[in-house]
Amino acid sequence: QVQLVESGGGLVQAGGSLRLSCAASGAIAAITAMGWYRQAPGKQRELVTAITSGGRTNYADSVLGRFTISRDNAKSTVSLQMNSLKPEDTAVYYCNADFATSLGTKRVWGQGTQVTVSS
């Protein structure tokens, strides 16, 4: 199994920056990809960005050019640098990890961290 612990988040004014981090433990060698999702009140959880073990990244159009995901394989952590934050970025942000098992790929989630952007 893989466990995830998130840190960072908080309250920031529009135009500001925040950095989220997610530390993985357990069967980290089996992790194939990690990423960040977010869920705003009354909305579905949506993909923000993801990075594969090979370093391939993808971003939601709404954050492209403002957010950057990075991964430290040695430390089994993934970080999300969020710049030029907008009020519409306000949400609970969840880290996720996909990992291989004998039964196929499984996904685990972090506990979530609140990001609030004031106008």
Side-chain angles (χ1 to χ4, degrees):
Q1 264 290 5
V2 173
Q3 297 81 38
L4 303 174
V5 177
E6 302 165 5
S7 59
L11 174 63
V12 65
Q13 289 188 332
S17 299
L18 282 175
R19 186 176 182 86
L20 307 181
S21 292
C22 176
S25 61
I28 56 177
I31 294 176
T32 57
M34 297 182 72
W36 293 92
Y37 281 68
R38 67 186 181 187
Q39 187 167 18
K43 294 187 177 181
Q44 289 189 331
R45 190 174 296 188
E46 63 175 2
L47 173 68
V48 176
T49 179
I51 185 167
T52 68
S53 56
R56 184 181 304 176
T57 60
N58 67 293
Y59 294 89
D61 288 344
S62 59
V63 306
L64 196 61
R66 300 187 298 121
F67 291 11
T68 302
I69 189 171
S70 59
R71 182 173 174 176
D72 184 334
N73 287 331
K75 296 182 179 180
S76 303
T77 61
V78 64
S79 298
L80 179 63
Q81 179 66 41
M82 304 183 293
N83 298 328
S84 302
L85 283 161
K86 304 175 181 179
E88 50 263 43
D89 295 318
T90 295
V92 178
Y93 284 68
Y94 296 91
C95 174
N96 78 278
D98 295 336
F99 63 101
T101 74
S102 60
L103 299 177
T105 299
K106 289 191 175 181
R107 172 167 290 183
V108 293
W109 297 91
Q111 76 278 12
T113 186
Q114 177 70 45
V115 171
T116 303
V117 184
S118 62
S119 57

